[in-house]
Amino acid sequence: MRNTYDIIVIGGGHAGIEAAWAAARAGAEVALVTMQREAIGRMSCNPAIGGIGKGQMVREVDALGGLMGLASDAAGIQFRMLNRRKGPAVWAPRAQADRHGYPHVVQELLCRARSLEIIEGSVEQILADEIPSDDLDVSPEIASSSGDCATSTRGPKHRVRGLILADGRRLNARAVIVTTGTFLRALMHCGPQRVEGGRVGEQSAVGLSDSLRSLGFELGRLKTGTPPRVHRDSIDYSQVEVQYGDEFPTPFSAMTDAILQPQVNCWITWTNEEVHVPIRANLHRAPMYSGQIESRGPRYCPSIEDKVVRFADKSRHQVFLEPEGYDNERVYCNGISTSLPGDVQDDMVRRIPGLQQARILQYGYAVEYDFVPTHQTKSSLETKLVSGLFLAGQINGTSGYEEAAGQGIVAGVNAVQFLRDAEPLVLRRDQAYIGVMIDDLVTRPPTEPYRMFTSRAEFRLLLRSDNADERLTPVGRRLRLVDDIRWERFTEREALVDELEQRLGLSRGNARILSQLCGNEEDLAVAARLLGSGPSRPVCSDVLERVLIGVRYRGYVDRQARHVERMSRLESMVIPERLNYARLSGLRAEARERLAAVAPRTLGQASRISGINPADVTVLWVALSGGRRRRRTEDGTVPVA
């Protein structure tokens, strides 16, 4: 085994997978350190990928050349396009996956990366050298010691050098990416029982938390939870509602032509007042209510005990029964996440219609873990305290496989950009849901696990699931993540879209008819007949769908594009990294504190920080504009924003 690499990725979860894959594809020598090789890509909670807001991010990861879409298409056992009855801005692909099949596919894909080595071990310490004060890089353009734009001494205090494993091995690298998920000082709760570990049967990472603290990082504490799993043969299927997959499954990846594997059914049932009785009677034994857990859980994915308390007026709550694989006997009870004691879970589950004879194979539990509040992280996902140290996934306060994967691919790319001394990849809010998520994290550091929703994106009609490759595949190509095969397929698809759109422009009658269609299978058939004689190549349904959406929503898309153009002025005003906000006259004390803590990259990002009002933005704009005017007077040039 070697001991020196360009980049080391800590953790083999969904963030670590994408980070290691992206860095290796971009040309770096990468080591992926994981406690167990066979656990790489393991699905800790529900074996499902996608959903509202999340499915769009999976498409974006795929468009950038990532793995999640390919693995989901190969291991999916039920595919559904959610929100089809609503507008295309909120259509979202989702797939139930085979719990054992998904990590197997991921591990096979990772083996194709030539410059990636997988190392088993537990990380005890991150190694970093202190940066001498005279080595701090301060651009001469912002090094003025007087005036409104005087700089502060903020900046990284350390430079990463590698890490030490629990067995004493030292690994050297110029960049390190931490993607530890729920394993940092993790503690599992099931009633009064507490066990160290981030997942059933897997140990906690304790030393790494201490190492981060020693480097000056402030750590917080969050919690997440999981529901019980029941044996599939113990369910009375006559009492539950069947939920079918789509007749024609839509793949996640642009590299997948069709989903050919058979689909399984899922089922729906409901809790009722009888189910809620043992929950209310045993709240004093629930760790969230007994005081055993003090950290906050995800508001948008509450435990069943939380639902019963917070929504006391509701007599029932939906429960999705989702198989964990073709040959897996376990069924995931989505909707009743809990950390109540096992005897209460037995009583509760067996009062649910269809589950009266259920055999619980694994009790639900809660996991408490450390995270790094994101006021300590840049938009590139590099930390502010340690140069070359990047964070991705739940360590940044997010929840979900998809959010982790989106951060992972950005961290992997930016670790390579850091080594090349090149500009980091910072996706804009109008460019990707991944960009929305990271911007939200750094401007509004989460106090509870962050989950992506379409409502978080102000330009969601531009960020549809059908156009992710149009938005991001050229970006992936530029960063060397997109190979020749994917690029050729993309360019052929774009040429066909252009040809169809040009034909529509020449045939206004067809355009009027197509603008009334909704995008279902019947409408796609009508479109194919109308356009069949025009294009020089076969037209796939996904291409037709994109053209239909473009025709029907062109006015709305153009309106959002104009809004983006107006906002681009704020986004183009770059703020010096070490701007001293204490010297800006007219700023409120709260604004100074918030701006100094976040250190926004642009004026647009500053405007989105919690606690910053329009008057603060105006003061900052005047200061930045004035600084540029002074420099232009001195050297006779006009600085670039």
Side-chain angles (χ1 to χ4, degrees), residues 233-289:
D233 293 339
S234 66
I235 299 172
D236 182 352
Y237 294 99
S238 67
Q239 296 188 45
V240 295
E241 175 188 343
V242 66
Q243 184 182 56
Y244 300 102
D246 290 343
E247 183 180 359
F248 302 100
T250 302
F252 281 102
S253 177
M255 300 299 291
T256 304
D257 292 323
I259 303 297
L260 301 178
Q261 64 265 34
Q263 295 199 71
V264 303
N265 294 332
C266 295
W267 299 271
I268 299 173
T269 185
W270 299 80
T271 68
N272 51 47
E273 287 292 358
E274 185 182 350
V275 176
H276 301 168
V277 169
I279 298 173
R280 291 194 181 98
N282 288 278
L283 284 176
H284 62 286
R285 301 174 65 195
M288 285 293 292
Y289 289 88

Side-chain angles (χ1 to χ4, degrees), residues 385-402:
L385 293 176
V386 181
S387 175
L389 180 65
F390 294 78
L391 308 178
Q394 286 179 281
I395 193 171
N396 283 332
T398 58
S399 69
Y401 309 142
E402 303 83 3

